[in-house]
Amino acid sequence: MKTARQLVEELRRELAEHAHRYYVLDQPTISDAEYDRLFAELSRLEADHPDLASADSPTQRVGGAPRAGFRQVPHTHPMVSLANVFDVDGVREFDLRVKRMLGQGAEAAIDYAVEPKIDGLGIELTYEDSVLRLASTRGDGSTGEDVTANAKAIKAIPLRLRQRVPGAFEVRGEVYLPKAAFAALNRDREEAGEEGFANPRNAAAGSLRQLDPAVTAARPLRVLLYALSTTPVAPGLPATHLELMAWLKDLGLASPPTCRCHGIAEVIATDEEMKERRHRFPYDMDGVVVKVNDHRLQLELGMVSRAPRWAVAFKLPPQEETTTVRGITVQVGRTGALTPVAELEPVTVGGATVSRATLHNADEVARKDVRVADRVLVRRAGEVIPEVVAVVKEARPEDSVPFVFPTRCPECGAAVVREDGEAVSRCPNRRCPAQVRERIRHFATRKAMDIDGLGDKLVEKLVATERVTGVADLFRLGKEDLLALEGIADKSAEKLLVAINAAKERPLARLLFALGIRHVGEQVAKLLANHFGSLATLSQATVEELAAVHGIGAEVAAAVAAFFASDDGRATLAGLDRVGVRAAPAKAVPVTNGKLAGMTVVVTGTLRSMSRDQAQERIALEGGRAAAAVSKKTDLLVAGEAAGSKLQKAEQLGIKIVDEAGFLSLLEGGAK
Ligand code: IVH
């Protein structure tokens, strides 16, 4: 019989191995559910045997309570930055300078390493005798912030290196939020009535610099490591950058894809190729980094002020354009949040037409001092909502006046409130027609109660004529109510009433999501529904009981409890109960009208925004059948990263193939 100690050690080893396969090799061999099962087994054993506790156990990733602030930590070696160049001439000059300083002729060919410049957050990890002891941000380069507790919450950062490295080992890289995870996070935040992040970089920064490591843990942050704090040259250590990257992978540390280039012409070709393929990388990339490959040559070249002479960042042209602000409007969301929006003279940025850009909140408008008729710089970063970066002050008309943020709701006239420490101003009037409209609209959306035929225009009319003042009113509508509105025919009125009636039977998770409770996006709603089973049980749950649900944080728990305790929440639930909306217990129902209805779908490779299980669940929810192997019967192949033989086979068979982004847009409601 194995002792508890042996079992615990075995489980820890196994879990670390699976994390490595998932995060570093991109080749998971077990499902998320299986990983969770092993994890639960380890947690149980550790709880039964407190003497076996260990700081590098995966169960210790989210340990301590949130802290009051971050401790400042000096870096043993400054975290330098890179010199930038913006065109091929700049890269050629860099190459010539390198050769001149190394005493080589202009025609010599240097060995370079070329890799993406990841638009994330610089981080330093310090391992001592192979165990993670400290994680710090770049800070001002000399002193950073101690973010160890948060780094430990990031599953992609190993708590122990896979090989023994004696003494202190300081490794540097970039923490980032994968693009797909960023899109999902913003969707969830917007669904929950919160402000989205402007770009993946801000989202990553916001997630890493959290005083509560549980929040960091809930965001699927990744890390790529690309340097040591000093260039290694000792015998037995990697002699080149490429060797170093391979060694880091062996140690269990993910590193960026790096190409070896002989001579500057190869560098330029590789740069072009990488930039062309950049939308395929799971992270935002703001350029390409060119590094002298040989460590001895790196040392010989040394540093100037705060940048190495042996490396250069070849930046991408920014996705920015200038245009004119036609007006500034303020939108009211379903939680009452007021969002200022710049209405722009349409302009093409990075291939897409932009005619509106978010100004985020009152502070942002004031900080940037955006005014009507201003010329502004607009940026579109990847799949992100366009934003106004800055005003071209020199072009400002003389008679321009600063924008005054409304003190009253533009829709209902209620005095706007802004809570201490919040960036968002809100209309406090739950009956505000804009809020009601947005709530009803959300309630009816496909992922919520899925009421077919209840479009935006109709909702607007129903709310404006006060036929609907809350979600329960929808279920009281009669045919005459609908026919009284302009532009609705007999047949469609009947169809709509059938659709509304059918919504009474929606499962609990959908209803919870549909209620638009703050912080309750689709995923949270599912967790709550699965855990509590019924609306009655959930509405009685205490904050502690809510927070004890795996995946539910303190903030979410508080918001849910507050909703069920509020007069509004109670009135809404009582109203829904009266009209017969009882939330069916969650169970699988065959879907015949889903986006993938009747299709056989195979998922291969690694998806960034969801696990394999989640992908299969989504396929099933859309009426498709998830299959394991590609055959002639396959209708669609979803190819994630590092897709292999299944992708080849699908190509041979001429099966339709989509990448992760394509799959997401299919699920979102794009064309089949
Ligand atoms: S090398 C001495 N490689 O860019 C080595 N930096 O603008 C200096 N960055 O502070 C860094 N991707 O945070 C290096 N592949 C990469 C990088 C990278 C992103 C960041 C890093 C650095 C900043 C300089």
Side-chain angles (χ1 to χ4, degrees), residues 80-82 115-118 122 138 174 226 289 291 308 310:
V80 297
S81 57
L82 294 169
E115 65 196 23
K117 183 169 187 309
I118 303 124
R138 180 169 183 275
E174 214 78 3
Y226 44 68
V289 185
K291 300 173 177 177
W310 47 264

Side-chain angles (χ1 to χ4, degrees), residues 192-395:
E194 292 169 72
E195 211 186 305
F197 287 105
N199 53 46
R201 195 193 136 78
N202 288 4
S207 308
L208 181 67
R209 296 189 67 263
Q210 277 286 341
L211 292 172
D212 183 355
V215 178
T216 312
R219 310 261 169 90
L221 292 169
R222 292 292 187 111
V223 68
L224 288 174
L225 298 141
Y226 44 68
L228 301 188
S229 60
T230 52
T231 300
V233 282
L237 290 179
T240 64
H241 184 70
L242 275 129
E243 284 173 31
L244 174 62
M245 295 302 97
W247 187 48
L248 291 181
K249 284 196 181 86
D250 290 342
L251 292 177
L253 300 163
S255 57
T258 306
C259 294
R260 188 177 148 205
C261 295
H262 189 64
I264 204 64
E266 275 187 39
V267 168
I268 291 163
T270 304
D271 165 85
E272 225 168 78
E273 219 171 274
M274 267 192 194
K275 285 175 180 165
E276 236 161 59
R277 281 190 305 142
R278 72 171 187 272
H279 59 274
R280 295 215 200 159
F281 290 116
Y283 37 80
D284 268 345
M285 144 182 166
D286 57 342
V288 153
V289 185
V290 184
K291 300 173 177 177
V292 171
N293 193 29
D294 190 308
H295 284 166
R296 290 196 172 278
L297 297 184
Q298 286 189 7
L299 275 196
E300 200 177 324
L301 289 160
M303 314 271 288
V304 265
S305 60
R306 311 224 87 201
R309 282 203 195 89
W310 47 264
V312 77
F314 187 176
K315 300 291 285 270
L316 271 162
Q319 308 265 301
E320 292 176 347
E321 270 309 328
T322 37
T323 184
T324 307
V325 179
R326 283 178 171 170
I328 298 176
T329 51
V330 174
Q331 284 182 348
V332 186
R334 66 169 201 273
T335 59
L338 301 185
T339 308
V341 176
E343 309 288 342
L344 306 166
E345 205 71 65
V347 63
T348 312
V349 190
T353 306
V354 172
S355 57
R356 313 184 77 207
T358 179
L359 293 164
H360 301 296
N361 54 52
D363 287 352
E364 279 292 294
V365 188
R367 192 174 64 75
K368 291 177 182 157
D369 187 17
V370 181
R371 305 180 184 186
V372 175
D374 268 347
R375 292 288 292 170
V376 288
L377 197 61
V378 181
R379 177 192 300 154
R380 208 180 126 249
E383 299 90 85
V384 175
I385 319 160
E387 64 168 345
V388 170
V389 184
V391 173
V392 186
K393 292 270 164 67
E394 303 75 56

Side-chain angles (χ1 to χ4, degrees), residues 103-124:
Q104 303 194 14
E107 22 356 281
I110 300 281
D111 248 347
Y112 289 107
V114 176
E115 65 196 23
K117 183 169 187 309
I118 303 124
D119 194 11
L121 238 67
I123 194 166
E124 179 170 75

Side-chain angles (χ1 to χ4, degrees), residues 50-115:
D51 52 311
L52 298 179
S54 165
D56 68 350
S57 171
T59 57
Q60 298 307 299
R61 284 200 180 270
V62 187
R67 281 139 326 116
F70 295 109
R71 187 171 64 99
Q72 299 279 312
V73 274
H75 297 294
T76 49
H77 302 274
M79 281 178 86
V80 297
S81 57
L82 294 169
N84 292 327
V85 296
F86 296 92
D87 51 26
V88 170
D89 288 347
V91 183
R92 286 189 201 284
E93 276 166 31
F94 161 75
D95 175 56
L96 287 173
R97 211 162 41 236
V98 163
K99 288 188 281 205
R100 202 170 49 241
M101 282 189 295
L102 293 174
Q104 303 194 14
E107 22 356 281
I110 300 281
D111 248 347
Y112 289 107
V114 176
E115 65 196 23

Side-chain angles (χ1 to χ4, degrees), residues 617-632:
E617 190 191 340
R618 299 285 296 268
I619 292 167
L621 281 173
E622 290 300 340
R625 192 179 77 84
V630 174
S631 74
K632 274 187 286 190

